[in-house]
């Protein structure tokens, strides 16, 4: 496994994301109760308007997200500059739901103003999976995992994951689309 944040070429980044996504297990990520921080203690789950994938963040979530955005958006450099070189603002601009996963701490989810049905369905899937993982953690005598959610709409809102599931249901729009390169597809194929 390579560090996505250390890769330079978009095709190499996409290939590494594809490999890490195939290897990543949310159950293993949260249920590994070794108690110590290690490389696989930090991860990302990105839900774009067209695709979703998991990967690990070996050093810094922001650096990984910057490389991911660079690898799937042809206009990334311009958009990143326009957003004052802020990875979160750039991810929100593209309409991505970005989850900073931390196995030994609370995790953070960042929401754009609106999402599409695909994104909401994936959000509900991870919500259900997290509820199941929390049941297993509690049965083992461990603390459950929690999420803090930030909504970047007309005004910033700080929500729990339970609140966000309900709140984001009213933020679904059929017009949310993204021009991006799909991970695992031939480089010449792009989703509009």
């Amino acid at each position: 496994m390579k560090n996505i944040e250390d890769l330079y070429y978009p095709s190499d980044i996409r290939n590494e994301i594809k490999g890490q996504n195939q290897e990543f297990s949310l159950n293993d990520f949260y249920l590994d109760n070794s108690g110590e921080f290690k490389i696989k203690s930090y991860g990302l789950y990105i839900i774009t308007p067209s695709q979703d994938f998991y990967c690990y963040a070996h050093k810094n979530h922001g650096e990984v997200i910057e490389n991911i955005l660079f690898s799937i958006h042809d206009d990334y450099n311009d958009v990143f500059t326009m957003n004052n070189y802020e990875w979160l603002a750039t991810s929100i601009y593209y309409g991505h739901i970005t989850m900073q996963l931390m196995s030994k701490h609370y995790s953070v989810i960042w929401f754009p103003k609106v999402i599409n049905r695909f994104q909401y369905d994936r959000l509900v899937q991870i919500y259900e999976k997290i509820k199941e993982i929390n049941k297993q953690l509690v049965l083992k005598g461990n603390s459950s995992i929690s999420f803090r959610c930030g909504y970047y709409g007309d005004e910033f809102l700080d929500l729990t994951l339970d609140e966000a599931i309900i709140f984001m249901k009213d933020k679904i729009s059929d017009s949310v689309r993204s021009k991006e390169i799909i991970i695992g597809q031939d480089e010449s194929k792009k989703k509009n």
Side-chain angles (χ1 to χ4, degrees):
M1 184 174 11
K2 298 176 184 172
N3 295 349
I4 290 173
E5 55 269 51
D6 293 336
L7 299 176
Y8 181 76
Y9 296 105
S11 60
D12 292 343
I13 296 167
R14 288 190 296 272
N15 285 334
E16 187 60 28
I17 294 168
K18 181 181 176 187
Q20 288 186 24
N21 185 53
Q22 291 171 344
E23 177 186 309
F24 195 96
S25 163
L26 202 59
N27 280 339
D28 292 346
F29 185 79
Y30 283 114
L31 295 173
D32 175 13
N33 57 10
S34 66
E36 55 188 66
F37 286 100
K38 57 186 187 249
I39 286 176
K40 292 186 177 182
S41 295
Y42 303 96
L44 289 164
Y45 179 48
I46 309 292
I47 310 172
T48 76
S50 304
Q51 63 186 325
D52 64 318
F53 47 85
Y54 291 95
C55 58
Y56 294 100
H58 296 93
K59 297 177 185 175
N60 176 300
H61 285 110
E63 291 177 21
V64 177
I65 294 169
E66 288 173 17
N67 264 8
I68 290 169
L69 297 174
F70 170 67
S71 75
I72 65 174
H73 293 287
D74 290 336
D75 62 348
Y76 167 76
N77 288 328
D78 294 333
V79 173
F80 191 53
T81 302
M82 178 183 74
N83 284 294
N84 296 318
Y85 306 99
E86 293 179 5
W87 65 263
L88 179 56
T90 304
S91 184
I92 296 297
Y93 172 88
Y94 285 121
H96 298 178
I97 298 172
T98 304
M99 298 185 186
Q100 293 175 261
L101 306 173
M102 294 172 273
S103 65
K104 309 297 181 204
H105 197 20
Y106 71 90
S107 295
V108 181
I109 305 175
W110 305 106
F111 291 102
K113 186 173 185 173
V114 293
I115 60 176
N116 64 20
R117 174 58 57 186
F118 168 80
Q119 290 173 297
Y120 186 76
D121 291 346
R122 290 300 194 270
L123 181 63
V124 169
Q125 286 176 3
I126 194 171
Y127 174 70
E128 294 299 328
K129 189 145 187 94
I130 292 298
K131 284 189 344 186
E132 195 57 42
I133 290 170
N134 276 336
K135 285 179 189 175
Q136 293 177 46
L137 285 169
V138 170
L139 285 174
K140 291 181 176 184
N142 296 322
S143 298
S144 60
I145 52 176
S146 64
F147 284 83
R148 295 305 309 163
C149 304
Y151 170 69
Y152 281 84
D154 298 326
E155 63 180 79
F156 176 78
L157 297 175
D158 183 16
L159 307 165
T160 66
L161 184 54
D162 291 331
E163 293 168 336
I165 289 292
I166 295 165
F167 182 80
M168 292 308 291
K169 189 171 188 173
D170 293 333
K171 303 301 178 192
I172 297 172
S173 171
D174 292 333
S175 66
V176 177
R177 293 195 173 92
S178 177
K179 184 177 182 180
E180 62 193 67
I181 297 169
I182 303 299
I183 302 295
Q185 280 190 354
D186 184 304
E187 253 179 70
S188 62
K189 294 180 182 175
K190 296 179 185 174
K191 182 84 175 183
N192 289 321

